[in-house]
Amino acid sequence: MGRKVGIWLDRRKAVIVSIAERVTARAIITSDMDHYVLHSTIVPGDSSPEYLRDRRYWNHLGEYYDKIIAHIRGAEEIQIFGPEEAKYELQKHLEDAGLTLQIVSVEDAGKMSDLQINTKVEKRFPSRSQFDIF
């Protein structure tokens, strides 16, 4: 069985649950986005300070998604879930990284505890014992 990965994320934190060979591991990656503010009313191409802050915001968010991708690269299947837009932004980055075929689901999910995240991933990717018959 190859490695299966479930990711709950928002723009501040990603909780990654990996399942491989009946072993479950959890990792947390943070974006440190607390000090960034997005000024969405600014016209792109403007050289105003707000535009520059927006560009830094999106660049920093891209680096966050790149860290997540580096951590999950090699996964056979990827489940993405979470609130808001972060899950779709990560999906786009995964597609750009050539990992489209590994994405098995993108789902809405609100705030979840670590136990709820683990349970959701384990339901999606149940580990089979050596005695299971297919």
Side-chain angles (χ1 to χ4, degrees):
M1 175 173 104
R3 186 169 71 135
K4 319 270 191 216
V5 175
I7 306 164
W8 177 94
L9 79 153
D10 60 18
R11 287 183 176 163
R12 289 191 170 94
K13 177 175 91 169
V15 179
I16 303 168
V17 177
S18 299
I19 301 173
E21 302 300 323
R22 297 179 50 192
V23 175
T24 302
R26 186 171 56 88
I28 296 174
I29 297 175
T30 58
S31 68
D32 302 321
M33 293 295 288
D34 293 336
H35 61 279
Y36 284 88
V37 176
L38 180 62
H39 299 277
S40 61
T41 60
I42 304 305
V43 177
D46 186 3
S47 61
S48 68
E50 291 85 4
Y51 171 73
L52 296 175
R53 279 193 299 253
D54 281 355
R55 193 168 69 197
R56 279 195 302 268
Y57 174 88
W58 289 111
N59 287 342
H60 189 77
L61 199 55
E63 291 170 7
Y64 166 60
Y65 294 136
D66 289 342
K67 284 183 203 174
I68 295 169
I69 291 170
H71 191 80
I72 65 170
R73 192 168 290 283
E76 186 177 281
E77 296 181 61
I78 301 168
Q79 171 192 31
I80 305 168
F81 54 102
E84 305 168 7
E85 297 300 313
K87 61 188 167 288
Y88 301 117
E89 293 164 357
L90 177 62
Q91 178 183 16
K92 174 75 170 107
H93 276 78
L94 286 165
E95 290 168 354
D96 292 346
L99 300 172
T100 303
L101 297 177
Q102 286 81 357
I103 301 170
V104 295
S105 69
V106 179
E107 307 166 25
D108 286 326
K111 193 115 176 117
M112 299 176 80
S113 70
D114 290 345
L115 180 59
Q116 290 171 317
I117 293 168
N118 280 9
T119 301
K120 184 171 182 68
V121 175
E122 288 172 353
K123 277 185 179 179
R124 177 68 180 175
F125 305 119
S127 59
R128 302 184 199 289
S129 76
Q130 61 188 4
F131 302 108
D132 287 345
I133 299 174
F134 299 103

